[in-house]
Amino acid sequence: SVWSSDDRDDDLGYAHEVWRLEDLFHQRQRELFDRLISAAWAVDRALWNNILEFVFPEIEYIEYDVKKLGRPGAISRHTDNDSLVTMVVLLSDPSQFVGGVNCFEGGPTREVPLKAGDAVFFYGHLCHHWITPVTAGHRAILQMELRNRYEEPPRRILRGRGQ
């Protein structure tokens, strides 16, 4: 129920590996799945009120491993297509890598260094974001996008309920 994903646009500069996890979480980690969805909906209600009745979640494990890649890990400035709310959780301890700072555009560019377990939520389809190159070590994140359009796998999540 986990698969490698290479769905990035050809013109997006990136160097990382991605695995899709939403089915695994939904089937085997249901409590965690529901908590992730609920947290994103709560942030949306508090800040944007953008989500109406349902979303299609996309949950990914993303790894920037300089040794495995044979070059710095990176993702260039971009927005997340159709993502009403994007969440990024840093899974690695920052002492395990160099670089990899989350950057966001909005007036002045903001750099948001995360500690292991920290999460950042943002309006994915409008907020341009990127990371500084990971020049050494291994950086891993959990990323969730609550999307407003159908995408494989077609799991629709109703407001307030992780169905």
Side-chain angles (χ1 to χ4, degrees), residues 21-73:
L21 304 174
E22 59 267 13
D23 275 355
L24 174 72
F25 274 41
H26 191 264
Q27 294 167 9
R28 297 190 185 169
Q29 297 291 327
R30 185 55 186 262
E31 184 179 341
L32 179 56
F33 179 86
D34 290 344
R35 289 176 69 191
L36 288 170
I37 300 294
S38 295
W41 241 307
V43 168
D44 177 70
R45 268 193 309 274
L47 298 177
W48 308 300
N49 207 24
N50 191 39
I51 301 172
L52 299 177
E53 294 184 30
F54 63 88
V55 293
F56 299 101
E58 179 180 297
I59 302 174
E60 298 175 329
Y61 173 80
I62 303 175
E63 184 177 75
Y64 302 84
D65 188 320
V66 175
K67 188 174 182 178
K68 280 171 59 175
L69 292 169
R71 61 184 170 144

Tab-separated table of all heavy atoms in Angstrom, residues 21-73:
chain	number	residue	atom	x	y	z
A	21	LEU	N	1.815	7.449	1.089
A	21	LEU	CA	1.474	6.702	2.297
A	21	LEU	C	0.004	6.733	2.689
A	21	LEU	O	-0.362	6.101	3.679
A	21	LEU	CB	2.273	7.253	3.492
A	21	LEU	CG	3.782	7.292	3.404
A	21	LEU	CD1	4.350	7.994	4.622
A	21	LEU	CD2	4.338	5.906	3.284
A	22	GLU	N	-0.846	7.473	1.987
A	22	GLU	CA	-2.199	7.667	2.512
A	22	GLU	C	-2.973	6.360	2.697
A	22	GLU	O	-3.710	6.209	3.678
A	22	GLU	CB	-3.006	8.680	1.711
A	22	GLU	CG	-3.203	8.355	0.266
A	22	GLU	CD	-2.152	8.958	-0.635
A	22	GLU	OE1	-1.118	9.447	-0.154
A	22	GLU	OE2	-2.370	8.926	-1.849
A	23	ASP	N	-2.817	5.409	1.809
A	23	ASP	CA	-3.519	4.129	1.990
A	23	ASP	C	-3.002	3.391	3.218
A	23	ASP	O	-3.787	2.835	3.990
A	23	ASP	CB	-3.382	3.247	0.759
A	23	ASP	CG	-4.415	3.549	-0.296
A	23	ASP	OD1	-5.313	4.384	-0.041
A	23	ASP	OD2	-4.334	2.959	-1.385
A	24	LEU	N	-1.693	3.356	3.395
A	24	LEU	CA	-1.099	2.705	4.560
A	24	LEU	C	-1.630	3.338	5.843
A	24	LEU	O	-2.051	2.636	6.763
A	24	LEU	CB	0.424	2.805	4.517
A	24	LEU	CG	1.154	2.291	5.759
A	24	LEU	CD1	1.081	0.777	5.824
A	24	LEU	CD2	2.599	2.756	5.754
A	25	PHE	N	-1.603	4.655	5.922
A	25	PHE	CA	-2.093	5.341	7.112
A	25	PHE	C	-3.572	5.050	7.327
A	25	PHE	O	-3.999	4.802	8.441
A	25	PHE	CB	-1.877	6.849	6.984
A	25	PHE	CG	-0.521	7.311	7.430
A	25	PHE	CD1	0.620	6.597	7.114
A	25	PHE	CD2	-0.383	8.469	8.153
A	25	PHE	CE1	1.871	7.032	7.518
A	25	PHE	CE2	0.864	8.912	8.557
A	25	PHE	CZ	1.991	8.197	8.249
A	26	HIS	N	-4.353	5.121	6.269
A	26	HIS	CA	-5.795	4.916	6.392
A	26	HIS	C	-6.105	3.498	6.854
A	26	HIS	O	-6.997	3.283	7.680
A	26	HIS	CB	-6.483	5.210	5.060
A	26	HIS	CG	-7.960	5.286	5.177
A	26	HIS	ND1	-8.768	4.209	4.899
A	26	HIS	CD2	-8.772	6.294	5.552
A	26	HIS	CE1	-10.024	4.557	5.095
A	26	HIS	NE2	-10.054	5.823	5.485
A	27	GLN	N	-5.375	2.507	6.351
A	27	GLN	CA	-5.649	1.110	6.677
A	27	GLN	C	-5.011	0.644	7.979
A	27	GLN	O	-5.623	-0.121	8.727
A	27	GLN	CB	-5.161	0.207	5.540
A	27	GLN	CG	-5.923	0.400	4.263
A	27	GLN	CD	-5.239	-0.260	3.077
A	27	GLN	OE1	-4.275	-1.010	3.227
A	27	GLN	NE2	-5.719	0.031	1.884
A	28	ARG	N	-3.784	1.094	8.256
A	28	ARG	CA	-3.042	0.519	9.385
A	28	ARG	C	-2.754	1.483	10.524
A	28	ARG	O	-2.384	1.049	11.610
A	28	ARG	CB	-1.719	-0.064	8.888
A	28	ARG	CG	-1.931	-1.199	7.934
A	28	ARG	CD	-0.642	-1.884	7.671
A	28	ARG	NE	-0.820	-2.914	6.664
A	28	ARG	CZ	0.164	-3.534	6.090
A	28	ARG	NH1	1.406	-3.232	6.415
A	28	ARG	NH2	-0.063	-4.444	5.184
A	29	GLN	N	-2.847	2.757	10.273
A	29	GLN	CA	-2.584	3.768	11.292
A	29	GLN	C	-3.760	4.745	11.333
A	29	GLN	O	-3.589	5.956	11.244
A	29	GLN	CB	-1.274	4.510	10.992
A	29	GLN	CG	-0.047	3.648	11.018
A	29	GLN	CD	0.279	3.191	12.422
A	29	GLN	OE1	0.050	3.903	13.392
A	29	GLN	NE2	0.810	1.990	12.545
A	30	ARG	N	-4.941	4.203	11.452
A	30	ARG	CA	-6.162	4.998	11.315
A	30	ARG	C	-6.232	6.160	12.306
A	30	ARG	O	-6.642	7.266	11.952
A	30	ARG	CB	-7.381	4.089	11.455
A	30	ARG	CG	-8.704	4.777	11.224
A	30	ARG	CD	-8.683	5.455	9.834
A	30	ARG	NE	-9.862	6.230	9.650
A	30	ARG	CZ	-10.930	5.822	8.981
A	30	ARG	NH1	-10.930	4.642	8.401
A	30	ARG	NH2	-11.960	6.586	8.870
A	31	GLU	N	-5.828	5.932	13.546
A	31	GLU	CA	-5.870	7.010	14.535
A	31	GLU	C	-4.942	8.155	14.132
A	31	GLU	O	-5.319	9.325	14.186
A	31	GLU	CB	-5.490	6.484	15.915
A	31	GLU	CG	-5.603	7.542	16.999
A	31	GLU	CD	-5.253	7.009	18.375
A	31	GLU	OE1	-5.275	5.777	18.582
A	31	GLU	OE2	-4.961	7.842	19.244
A	32	LEU	N	-3.737	7.833	13.682
A	32	LEU	CA	-2.801	8.859	13.226
A	32	LEU	C	-3.335	9.560	11.981
A	32	LEU	O	-3.272	10.785	11.869
A	32	LEU	CB	-1.428	8.251	12.949
A	32	LEU	CG	-0.347	9.210	12.449
A	32	LEU	CD1	-0.143	10.370	13.409
A	32	LEU	CD2	0.955	8.449	12.227
A	33	PHE	N	-3.877	8.794	11.053
A	33	PHE	CA	-4.483	9.360	9.842
A	33	PHE	C	-5.563	10.382	10.221
A	33	PHE	O	-5.562	11.510	9.735
A	33	PHE	CB	-5.079	8.233	8.997
A	33	PHE	CG	-5.754	8.689	7.736
A	33	PHE	CD1	-5.027	8.880	6.577
A	33	PHE	CD2	-7.120	8.916	7.701
A	33	PHE	CE1	-5.641	9.289	5.404
A	33	PHE	CE2	-7.742	9.330	6.539
A	33	PHE	CZ	-7.001	9.512	5.384
A	34	ASP	N	-6.471	9.994	11.103
A	34	ASP	CA	-7.551	10.891	11.514
A	34	ASP	C	-7.017	12.138	12.217
A	34	ASP	O	-7.523	13.243	12.026
A	34	ASP	CB	-8.542	10.161	12.421
A	34	ASP	CG	-9.372	9.124	11.686
A	34	ASP	OD1	-9.417	9.161	10.429
A	34	ASP	OD2	-9.964	8.257	12.361
A	35	ARG	N	-5.957	11.968	13.026
A	35	ARG	CA	-5.368	13.116	13.731
A	35	ARG	C	-4.719	14.095	12.751
A	35	ARG	O	-4.824	15.316	12.919
A	35	ARG	CB	-4.368	12.644	14.772
A	35	ARG	CG	-5.074	11.960	15.957
A	35	ARG	CD	-4.118	11.401	16.953
A	35	ARG	NE	-3.435	12.505	17.631
A	35	ARG	CZ	-2.387	12.326	18.406
A	35	ARG	NH1	-1.897	11.118	18.613
A	35	ARG	NH2	-1.811	13.353	18.988
A	36	LEU	N	-4.036	13.573	11.729
A	36	LEU	CA	-3.424	14.444	10.722
A	36	LEU	C	-4.494	15.249	9.982
A	36	LEU	O	-4.364	16.467	9.822
A	36	LEU	CB	-2.621	13.622	9.715
A	36	LEU	CG	-1.320	13.011	10.198
A	36	LEU	CD1	-0.773	12.039	9.158
A	36	LEU	CD2	-0.300	14.090	10.519
A	37	ILE	N	-5.547	14.569	9.542
A	37	ILE	CA	-6.628	15.247	8.827
A	37	ILE	C	-7.292	16.285	9.726
A	37	ILE	O	-7.531	17.426	9.329
A	37	ILE	CB	-7.674	14.227	8.318
A	37	ILE	CG1	-7.048	13.209	7.366
A	37	ILE	CG2	-8.866	14.938	7.684
A	37	ILE	CD1	-6.552	13.740	6.062
A	38	SER	N	-7.581	15.909	10.962
A	38	SER	CA	-8.238	16.826	11.904
A	38	SER	C	-7.377	18.052	12.189
A	38	SER	O	-7.888	19.170	12.291
A	38	SER	CB	-8.564	16.103	13.213
A	38	SER	OG	-9.513	15.100	12.992
A	39	ALA	N	-6.070	17.837	12.336
A	39	ALA	CA	-5.175	18.975	12.594
A	39	ALA	C	-5.181	19.949	11.423
A	39	ALA	O	-5.261	21.170	11.611
A	39	ALA	CB	-3.760	18.478	12.858
A	40	ALA	N	-5.108	19.417	10.206
A	40	ALA	CA	-5.119	20.300	9.032
A	40	ALA	C	-6.443	21.045	8.925
A	40	ALA	O	-6.470	22.241	8.611
A	40	ALA	CB	-4.852	19.487	7.766
A	41	TRP	N	-7.560	20.362	9.202
A	41	TRP	CA	-8.863	21.033	9.147
A	41	TRP	C	-8.959	22.114	10.230
A	41	TRP	O	-9.494	23.199	9.989
A	41	TRP	CB	-9.998	20.036	9.305
A	41	TRP	CG	-10.901	20.003	8.110
A	41	TRP	CD1	-11.524	21.071	7.524
A	41	TRP	CD2	-11.272	18.871	7.337
A	41	TRP	NE1	-12.258	20.654	6.439
A	41	TRP	CE2	-12.121	19.306	6.305
A	41	TRP	CE3	-10.975	17.521	7.419
A	41	TRP	CZ2	-12.678	18.450	5.370
A	41	TRP	CZ3	-11.527	16.671	6.495
A	41	TRP	CH2	-12.366	17.139	5.481
A	42	ALA	N	-8.409	21.855	11.400
A	42	ALA	CA	-8.439	22.845	12.480
A	42	ALA	C	-7.632	24.088	12.114
A	42	ALA	O	-8.061	25.211	12.362
A	42	ALA	CB	-7.920	22.223	13.779
A	43	VAL	N	-6.448	23.876	11.529
A	43	VAL	CA	-5.643	25.023	11.092
A	43	VAL	C	-6.405	25.811	10.030
A	43	VAL	O	-6.464	27.035	10.069
A	43	VAL	CB	-4.265	24.558	10.564
A	43	VAL	CG1	-3.539	25.681	9.835
A	43	VAL	CG2	-3.413	24.031	11.709
A	44	ASP	N	-7.001	25.109	9.083
A	44	ASP	CA	-7.778	25.779	8.040
A	44	ASP	C	-8.919	26.597	8.645
A	44	ASP	O	-9.121	27.748	8.280
A	44	ASP	CB	-8.333	24.766	7.044
A	44	ASP	CG	-9.202	25.429	5.998
A	44	ASP	OD1	-8.639	26.156	5.142
A	44	ASP	OD2	-10.442	25.268	6.050
A	45	ARG	N	-9.658	26.019	9.586
A	45	ARG	CA	-10.778	26.747	10.215
A	45	ARG	C	-10.283	27.993	10.933
A	45	ARG	O	-10.906	29.046	10.875
A	45	ARG	CB	-11.514	25.837	11.191
A	45	ARG	CG	-12.675	25.097	10.599
A	45	ARG	CD	-13.561	24.451	11.655
A	45	ARG	NE	-12.840	23.632	12.615
A	45	ARG	CZ	-12.535	22.349	12.439
A	45	ARG	NH1	-12.883	21.722	11.338
A	45	ARG	NH2	-11.879	21.692	13.367
A	46	ALA	N	-9.156	27.870	11.620
A	46	ALA	CA	-8.630	28.993	12.399
A	46	ALA	C	-8.068	30.107	11.526
A	46	ALA	O	-8.167	31.285	11.885
A	46	ALA	CB	-7.554	28.492	13.363
A	47	LEU	N	-7.481	29.754	10.375
A	47	LEU	CA	-6.771	30.759	9.589
A	47	LEU	C	-7.430	31.137	8.269
A	47	LEU	O	-7.394	32.303	7.881
A	47	LEU	CB	-5.348	30.265	9.294
A	47	LEU	CG	-4.466	30.021	10.505
A	47	LEU	CD1	-3.122	29.464	10.076
A	47	LEU	CD2	-4.295	31.296	11.307
A	48	TRP	N	-7.971	30.168	7.536
A	48	TRP	CA	-8.388	30.449	6.169
A	48	TRP	C	-9.844	30.136	5.864
A	48	TRP	O	-10.445	30.769	5.027
A	48	TRP	CB	-7.519	29.665	5.178
A	48	TRP	CG	-6.062	29.847	5.381
A	48	TRP	CD1	-5.375	31.025	5.321
A	48	TRP	CD2	-5.102	28.843	5.683
A	48	TRP	NE1	-4.047	30.802	5.560
A	48	TRP	CE2	-3.853	29.461	5.787
A	48	TRP	CE3	-5.174	27.469	5.864
A	48	TRP	CZ2	-2.682	28.768	6.065
A	48	TRP	CZ3	-4.017	26.767	6.144
A	48	TRP	CH2	-2.789	27.421	6.242
A	49	ASN	N	-10.380	29.104	6.481
A	49	ASN	CA	-11.731	28.620	6.184
A	49	ASN	C	-11.891	28.352	4.690
A	49	ASN	O	-12.870	28.745	4.069
A	49	ASN	CB	-12.797	29.585	6.689
A	49	ASN	CG	-14.090	28.869	6.996
A	49	ASN	OD1	-14.101	27.674	7.262
A	49	ASN	ND2	-15.180	29.590	6.947
A	50	ASN	N	-10.934	27.668	4.140
A	50	ASN	CA	-10.862	27.394	2.707
A	50	ASN	C	-11.534	26.073	2.325
A	50	ASN	O	-12.066	25.940	1.241
A	50	ASN	CB	-9.383	27.365	2.296
A	50	ASN	CG	-9.193	27.351	0.808
A	50	ASN	OD1	-9.904	28.015	0.076
A	50	ASN	ND2	-8.233	26.579	0.358
A	51	ILE	N	-11.490	25.087	3.230
A	51	ILE	CA	-12.053	23.771	2.932
A	51	ILE	C	-13.557	23.822	3.158
A	51	ILE	O	-14.014	24.225	4.216
A	51	ILE	CB	-11.428	22.682	3.826
A	51	ILE	CG1	-9.918	22.625	3.634
A	51	ILE	CG2	-12.052	21.323	3.512
A	51	ILE	CD1	-9.213	21.708	4.606
A	52	LEU	N	-14.305	23.372	2.183
A	52	LEU	CA	-15.755	23.396	2.321
A	52	LEU	C	-16.273	22.081	2.906
A	52	LEU	O	-16.498	21.982	4.087
A	52	LEU	CB	-16.410	23.728	0.983
A	52	LEU	CG	-16.008	25.098	0.423
A	52	LEU	CD1	-16.634	25.315	-0.937
A	52	LEU	CD2	-16.392	26.205	1.386
A	53	GLU	N	-16.436	21.037	2.099
A	53	GLU	CA	-17.023	19.807	2.612
A	53	GLU	C	-16.119	18.592	2.557
A	53	GLU	O	-16.255	17.697	3.367
A	53	GLU	CB	-18.315	19.498	1.856
A	53	GLU	CG	-19.390	20.523	2.108
A	53	GLU	CD	-20.693	20.142	1.429
A	53	GLU	OE1	-20.946	18.938	1.285
A	53	GLU	OE2	-21.417	21.050	1.044
A	54	PHE	N	-15.231	18.509	1.597
A	54	PHE	CA	-14.402	17.310	1.495
A	54	PHE	C	-13.074	17.629	0.836
A	54	PHE	O	-12.912	18.652	0.186
A	54	PHE	CB	-15.122	16.196	0.722
A	54	PHE	CG	-15.425	16.563	-0.707
A	54	PHE	CD1	-14.500	16.324	-1.711
A	54	PHE	CD2	-16.639	17.135	-1.044
A	54	PHE	CE1	-14.776	16.659	-3.020
A	54	PHE	CE2	-16.918	17.473	-2.354
A	54	PHE	CZ	-15.992	17.237	-3.349
A	55	VAL	N	-12.129	16.725	1.039
A	55	VAL	CA	-10.811	16.828	0.423
A	55	VAL	C	-10.330	15.430	0.044
A	55	VAL	O	-10.859	14.423	0.527
A	55	VAL	CB	-9.766	17.463	1.362
A	55	VAL	CG1	-10.075	18.911	1.637
A	55	VAL	CG2	-9.638	16.674	2.651
A	56	PHE	N	-9.319	15.391	-0.802
A	56	PHE	CA	-8.624	14.162	-1.146
A	56	PHE	C	-7.205	14.296	-0.584
A	56	PHE	O	-6.421	15.082	-1.101
A	56	PHE	CB	-8.571	13.967	-2.659
A	56	PHE	CG	-9.935	13.856	-3.285
A	56	PHE	CD1	-10.500	14.932	-3.925
A	56	PHE	CD2	-10.643	12.661	-3.218
A	56	PHE	CE1	-11.759	14.833	-4.510
A	56	PHE	CE2	-11.897	12.553	-3.797
A	56	PHE	CZ	-12.458	13.634	-4.443
A	57	PRO	N	-6.873	13.559	0.489
A	57	PRO	CA	-5.546	13.714	1.077
A	57	PRO	C	-4.470	12.974	0.288
A	57	PRO	O	-4.711	11.907	-0.269
A	57	PRO	CB	-5.705	13.091	2.465
A	57	PRO	CG	-6.772	12.075	2.286
A	57	PRO	CD	-7.713	12.632	1.251
A	58	GLU	N	-3.311	13.591	0.237
A	58	GLU	CA	-2.122	12.972	-0.334
A	58	GLU	C	-1.055	13.060	0.746
A	58	GLU	O	-0.692	14.161	1.162
A	58	GLU	CB	-1.692	13.740	-1.585
A	58	GLU	CG	-0.453	13.196	-2.240
A	58	GLU	CD	-0.077	13.991	-3.483
A	58	GLU	OE1	-0.861	14.000	-4.439
A	58	GLU	OE2	0.989	14.614	-3.455
A	59	ILE	N	-0.598	11.909	1.228
A	59	ILE	CA	0.393	11.870	2.299
A	59	ILE	C	1.656	11.225	1.741
A	59	ILE	O	1.598	10.133	1.170
A	59	ILE	CB	-0.131	11.098	3.519
A	59	ILE	CG1	-1.428	11.744	4.034
A	59	ILE	CG2	0.925	11.061	4.623
A	59	ILE	CD1	-2.112	10.973	5.147
A	60	GLU	N	2.783	11.916	1.910
A	60	GLU	CA	4.042	11.449	1.344
A	60	GLU	C	5.157	11.451	2.385
A	60	GLU	O	5.214	12.334	3.240
A	60	GLU	CB	4.488	12.354	0.190
A	60	GLU	CG	3.529	12.395	-0.968
A	60	GLU	CD	3.942	13.392	-2.041
A	60	GLU	OE1	4.565	14.430	-1.709
A	60	GLU	OE2	3.635	13.127	-3.205
A	61	TYR	N	6.027	10.455	2.257
A	61	TYR	CA	7.297	10.441	2.966
A	61	TYR	C	8.316	10.896	1.930
A	61	TYR	O	8.421	10.312	0.849
A	61	TYR	CB	7.624	9.029	3.447
A	61	TYR	CG	9.009	8.890	4.038
A	61	TYR	CD1	9.265	9.292	5.349
A	61	TYR	CD2	10.049	8.363	3.296
A	61	TYR	CE1	10.529	9.166	5.893
A	61	TYR	CE2	11.319	8.225	3.838
A	61	TYR	CZ	11.551	8.628	5.130
A	61	TYR	OH	12.815	8.506	5.671
A	62	ILE	N	9.044	11.984	2.230
A	62	ILE	CA	10.009	12.544	1.279
A	62	ILE	C	11.385	12.529	1.929
A	62	ILE	O	11.554	12.989	3.062
A	62	ILE	CB	9.618	13.978	0.852
A	62	ILE	CG1	8.213	13.972	0.253
A	62	ILE	CG2	10.642	14.547	-0.124
A	62	ILE	CD1	7.663	15.353	-0.090
A	63	GLU	N	12.335	12.018	1.169
A	63	GLU	CA	13.688	11.830	1.682
A	63	GLU	C	14.685	12.582	0.802
A	63	GLU	O	14.677	12.430	-0.421
A	63	GLU	CB	13.975	10.332	1.660
A	63	GLU	CG	15.271	9.907	2.238
A	63	GLU	CD	15.379	8.393	2.218
A	63	GLU	OE1	15.616	7.831	1.125
A	63	GLU	OE2	15.205	7.793	3.287
A	64	TYR	N	15.518	13.398	1.436
A	64	TYR	CA	16.619	14.091	0.782
A	64	TYR	C	17.894	13.476	1.343
A	64	TYR	O	18.339	13.859	2.422
A	64	TYR	CB	16.583	15.586	1.095
A	64	TYR	CG	15.312	16.284	0.708
A	64	TYR	CD1	14.196	16.276	1.546
A	64	TYR	CD2	15.225	16.967	-0.496
A	64	TYR	CE1	13.033	16.927	1.185
A	64	TYR	CE2	14.059	17.626	-0.859
A	64	TYR	CZ	12.967	17.601	-0.017
A	64	TYR	OH	11.814	18.248	-0.368
A	65	ASP	N	18.450	12.480	0.662
A	65	ASP	CA	19.622	11.755	1.141
A	65	ASP	C	20.769	12.001	0.163
A	65	ASP	O	20.792	11.435	-0.935
A	65	ASP	CB	19.295	10.266	1.243
A	65	ASP	CG	20.399	9.479	1.929
A	65	ASP	OD1	21.597	9.766	1.679
A	65	ASP	OD2	20.061	8.581	2.707
A	66	VAL	N	21.704	12.856	0.574
A	66	VAL	CA	22.781	13.283	-0.316
A	66	VAL	C	23.616	12.093	-0.788
A	66	VAL	O	23.963	12.010	-1.968
A	66	VAL	CB	23.658	14.357	0.373
A	66	VAL	CG1	24.849	14.729	-0.491
A	66	VAL	CG2	22.821	15.591	0.701
A	67	LYS	N	23.897	11.156	0.082
A	67	LYS	CA	24.714	10.001	-0.293
A	67	LYS	C	23.999	9.147	-1.340
A	67	LYS	O	24.584	8.756	-2.351
A	67	LYS	CB	25.052	9.168	0.948
A	67	LYS	CG	26.039	8.070	0.688
A	67	LYS	CD	26.428	7.397	1.986
A	67	LYS	CE	27.468	6.322	1.725
A	67	LYS	NZ	27.900	5.684	2.958
A	68	LYS	N	22.722	8.829	-1.124
A	68	LYS	CA	21.962	8.015	-2.080
A	68	LYS	C	21.745	8.746	-3.403
A	68	LYS	O	21.812	8.143	-4.470
A	68	LYS	CB	20.601	7.628	-1.486
A	68	LYS	CG	20.692	6.462	-0.539
A	68	LYS	CD	19.426	6.177	0.233
A	68	LYS	CE	18.216	5.877	-0.552
A	68	LYS	NZ	17.057	5.502	0.306
A	69	LEU	N	21.480	10.057	-3.332
A	69	LEU	CA	21.223	10.831	-4.548
A	69	LEU	C	22.504	11.105	-5.334
A	69	LEU	O	22.451	11.304	-6.546
A	69	LEU	CB	20.565	12.171	-4.204
A	69	LEU	CG	19.146	12.118	-3.651
A	69	LEU	CD1	18.737	13.492	-3.114
A	69	LEU	CD2	18.162	11.648	-4.722
A	70	GLY	N	23.629	11.180	-4.638
A	70	GLY	CA	24.887	11.514	-5.292
A	70	GLY	C	24.996	12.996	-5.619
A	70	GLY	O	25.854	13.402	-6.404
A	71	ARG	N	24.152	13.797	-5.014
A	71	ARG	CA	24.149	15.254	-5.200
A	71	ARG	C	23.305	15.878	-4.095
A	71	ARG	O	22.602	15.166	-3.375
A	71	ARG	CB	23.586	15.614	-6.567
A	71	ARG	CG	22.158	15.153	-6.775
A	71	ARG	CD	21.684	15.447	-8.179
A	71	ARG	NE	20.416	14.794	-8.422
A	71	ARG	CZ	19.454	15.310	-9.150
A	71	ARG	NH1	19.603	16.480	-9.727
A	71	ARG	NH2	18.330	14.659	-9.330
A	72	PRO	N	23.329	17.194	-3.945
A	72	PRO	CA	22.500	17.827	-2.921
A	72	PRO	C	21.008	17.561	-3.149
A	72	PRO	O	20.544	17.499	-4.285
A	72	PRO	CB	22.815	19.325	-3.069
A	72	PRO	CG	24.188	19.347	-3.660
A	72	PRO	CD	24.226	18.162	-4.593
A	73	GLY	N	20.278	17.396	-2.062
A	73	GLY	CA	18.831	17.265	-2.124
A	73	GLY	C	18.206	18.645	-2.220
A	73	GLY	O	18.713	19.594	-1.624
